[in-house]
Amino acid sequence: MTKQENPLGYEKISKLLRGFAIPSIIAMVVSSLYNIVDQIFIGQGVGYLGNAATNVSYPLTTICLAIALLIGIGSASRFSLHLGAGEKEDAARVVGNGISMMVVFGIIYAIVIEIFLDPLLTVFGATAEIMPYAKEYTRIIALGMPFLIVTNGMSNLARADGSPKYSMTCMLIGAVINTILDPIFIFVFHLGVAGAAWATIIGQFCSFIAAVLYIRKFKSVEIKGKDIRLIPKECGKTASLGMSNSLNQLAITFVQIVLNNSLTFYGADSAYGMEIPLAACGIVMKTNAILLAFVIGISQGSQPIIGFNYGAKQYDRVRQTYKLAIGANLAISAVGFILFQFFPYQIISLFGTGDQLYFEFAVRFMRIFLFMVIANGVQVISSNFFSAIGKPVKGLVLSMTRQVIFLIPFILILPLFMGLDGILYAGPAADTIAFITTVILIRREMQQMKKLQQQNLETDH
């Protein structure tokens, strides 16, 4: 498929972004709904201790997604760049190596969780009261981790191959099955948190089957048996381009650990105790994850368009795609801001009951911690943009700004002066500084791209 034949190189940008981003948004929202659905049904059927347990085990899922993004986004970015440059055999080899990485990494990760379950949950902030629920839930969830990695990785590759709807369908299958089975296992069979966990991995397995079937359906290249093997050099190249997205996920996990432990530490000295801040935090973070799913969906939808056109040296189309993605993100984030500021009680009520103290803290947490949510997406989309154009180091720096470089120090420092409130205000403070950093880096890149475009025009003439 040459540059001219591939729609990514000539189709109207708004039409392309719509075609790629909408299925990607649906897939990402559905993916984040796995945990939300569990949280809602567990909240209704088990209570807020069950919710706190899923919050404690949630970092293991974000680590799993980090592995999936490392391989999936890395492979998809390289695949798009090779296609844009007309290098089909290289593109096929990237896919085969990526599939091998997904399987190997998935199995290793599941084994590590089973072996080190107790110390991991302790590090993630499990209290003595929460630990039995957390262990019961996580031991089962770990079995589905390899399925989740392959499904997410293949979903990115299918999208880069020009099949965003297939990518979406893979995710939808599992989520629908999970949503149907959750109330059956929790309320009919009275399996509690274990029921929610079994519903999740059954759904993940069905998604996995659909994802694996795509290997024979690739449109741009033919995947042969010889392509599906692990090549260390290829693994390194793939990991370098998936690193910024992956580390962004890992950073979320690290933030979750620091956040959980800080909330229990400062919560113990407050009227709320240790469990209320932990349960409220889980709900706020997972609600925000739905908004982030929209943003990441736009970001992933723009990746094949940006990667292909950068590889084909069509820099004006690259800039156009980025600007359109940012505009769409700002519109969606504005809706999120309105919901979090004006309807926090209604959102939190979806996740089960609690006493007056619980709702009082959860509403304040949502309003304050997510106050600068409108600026978040700019950093996420810009970080992915750098990976898509083959500049992983800049993407990595950006993905680290909010989570590690700014947010964690604020979570550790502000409570020393403000107590529990300091943790809440750490969110908007970090968001603001990360946004300013992103704007500076992106402006420089856009100016550089204008120069490259000018050089191309002069060369052509």
Side-chain angles (χ1 to χ4, degrees):
M1 195 174 283
T2 64
K3 288 182 215 177
Q4 287 73 31
E5 288 171 349
N6 197 315
L8 291 170
Y10 66 81
E11 188 69 77
K12 194 179 176 188
I13 297 291
S14 56
K15 185 182 175 183
L16 280 173
L17 189 59
R18 201 163 50 242
F20 277 84
I22 290 172
S24 182
I25 287 168
I26 293 168
M28 286 307 301
V29 170
V30 162
S31 183
S32 66
L33 282 175
Y34 265 120
N35 279 284
I36 301 281
V37 168
D38 280 357
Q39 199 102 43
I40 290 170
F41 286 121
I42 288 169
Q44 305 289 347
V46 181
Y48 77 87
L49 285 178
N51 269 338
T54 61
N55 182 33
V56 162
S57 75
Y58 192 54
L60 291 169
T61 303
T62 56
I63 293 169
C64 183
L65 288 171
I67 297 167
L69 288 170
L70 179 80
I71 305 164
I73 295 281
S75 300
S77 297
R78 291 185 65 210
F79 179 74
S80 296
L81 288 165
H82 281 306
L83 276 188
E87 297 156 353
K88 277 188 165 189
E89 282 186 22
D90 292 333
R93 192 172 63 250
V94 165
V95 173
N97 186 73
I99 292 165
S100 306
M101 283 177 80
M102 291 168 210
V103 174
V104 172
F105 278 57
I107 292 167
I108 291 170
Y109 183 56
I111 293 167
V112 167
I113 294 172
E114 296 291 356
I115 294 171
F116 299 105
L117 187 61
D118 279 46
L120 283 169
L121 291 175
T122 305
V123 168
F124 296 155
T127 63
E129 207 175 346
I130 292 165
M131 184 63 94
Y133 293 101
K135 280 174 74 172
E136 187 182 9
Y137 182 77
T138 312
R139 206 172 281 287
I140 299 165
I141 283 288
L143 301 172
M145 296 299 182
F147 305 139
L148 191 58
I149 288 172
V150 173
T151 304
N152 275 274
M154 282 302 300
S155 173
N156 281 294
L157 283 167
R159 193 181 308 112
D161 187 48
S163 300
K165 286 179 183 170
Y166 193 97
S167 167
M168 171 189 75
T169 306
C170 288
M171 298 299 211
L172 274 176
I173 291 167
V176 170
I177 290 167
N178 178 46
T179 307
I180 293 166
L181 293 180
D182 253 334
I184 295 170
F185 287 174
I186 293 172
F187 300 117
V188 179
F189 297 128
H190 305 290
L191 294 174
V193 289
W198 281 115
T200 299
I201 66 164
I202 291 168
Q204 286 169 348
F205 179 73
C206 296
S207 283
F208 162 79
I209 296 296
V212 168
L213 290 173
Y214 190 79
I215 296 170
R216 293 184 174 274
K217 297 174 190 271
F218 269 87
K219 296 190 286 194
S220 312
V221 294
E222 188 187 344
I223 310 300
K224 296 171 183 165
K226 67 179 176 67
D227 294 318
I228 301 177
R229 58 199 174 100
L230 267 187
I231 306 164
K233 191 178 172 186
E234 292 289 321
C235 293
K237 288 178 183 175
T238 294
S240 75
L241 287 190
M243 191 68 76
S244 68
N245 286 272
S246 177
L247 285 176
N248 207 20
Q249 275 293 329
L250 285 178
I252 291 168
T253 310
F254 191 36
V255 166
Q256 192 84 44
I257 295 166
V258 174
L259 203 50
N260 285 354
N261 285 288
S262 298
L263 286 166
T264 51
F265 180 78
Y266 289 101
D269 295 330
S270 75
Y272 304 110
M274 293 166 78
E275 274 79 27
I276 283 177
L278 202 58
C281 173
I283 287 165
V284 170
M285 298 302 269
K286 284 176 187 173
T287 307
N288 186 39
I290 294 183
L291 179 64
L292 275 176
F294 278 90
V295 175
I296 293 166
I298 293 168
S299 179
Q300 289 184 351
S302 66
Q303 180 268 323
I305 310 165
I306 289 169
F308 184 92
N309 284 290
Y310 197 85
K313 299 183 177 178
Q314 300 192 112
Y315 302 116
D316 57 329
R317 288 176 65 80
V318 174
R319 293 206 325 274
Q320 207 182 327
T321 307
Y322 173 78
K323 285 176 185 173
L324 198 60
I326 290 291
N329 149 70
L330 288 173
I332 289 166
S333 295
V335 174
F337 175 81
I338 291 164
L339 290 173
F340 298 151
Q341 293 307 312
F342 298 102
F343 305 101
Y345 187 90
Q346 288 84 343
I347 293 169
I348 291 152
S349 300
L350 292 172
F351 295 89
T353 54
D355 57 20
Q356 191 184 341
L357 270 181
Y358 165 73
F359 276 106
E360 180 188 303
F361 182 79
V363 166
R364 283 193 75 238
F365 196 130
M366 183 169 280
R367 279 195 174 133
I368 298 171
F369 196 80
L370 302 180
F371 185 75
M372 282 298 292
V373 81
I374 203 158
N376 268 356
V378 177
Q379 183 244 356
V380 174
I381 287 173
S382 303
S383 162
N384 200 36
F385 167 79
F386 282 115
S387 295
I389 64 170
K391 297 190 176 180
V393 176
K394 286 184 179 177
L396 180 59
V397 169
L398 268 194
S399 67
M400 291 294 98
T401 51
R402 180 188 183 265
Q403 309 290 0
V404 174
I405 301 168
F406 303 131
L407 184 57
I408 289 174
F410 281 138
I411 289 171
L412 296 173
I413 294 164
L414 292 183
L416 298 173
F417 308 99
M418 302 168 73
L420 196 57
D421 272 4
I423 299 170
L424 276 57
Y425 285 100
D431 290 341
T432 304
I433 302 173
F435 174 72
I436 294 165
T437 309
T438 303
V439 170
I440 293 166
L441 276 174
I442 279 290
R443 282 183 72 175
R444 283 184 189 165
E445 191 60 41
M446 289 299 166
Q447 285 165 356
Q448 204 174 331
M449 222 179 287
K450 277 182 184 173
K451 286 178 188 172
L452 287 170
Q453 191 180 337
Q454 194 60 41
Q455 286 167 13
N456 276 1
L457 288 169
E458 287 166 6
T459 308
D460 291 343
H461 291 308

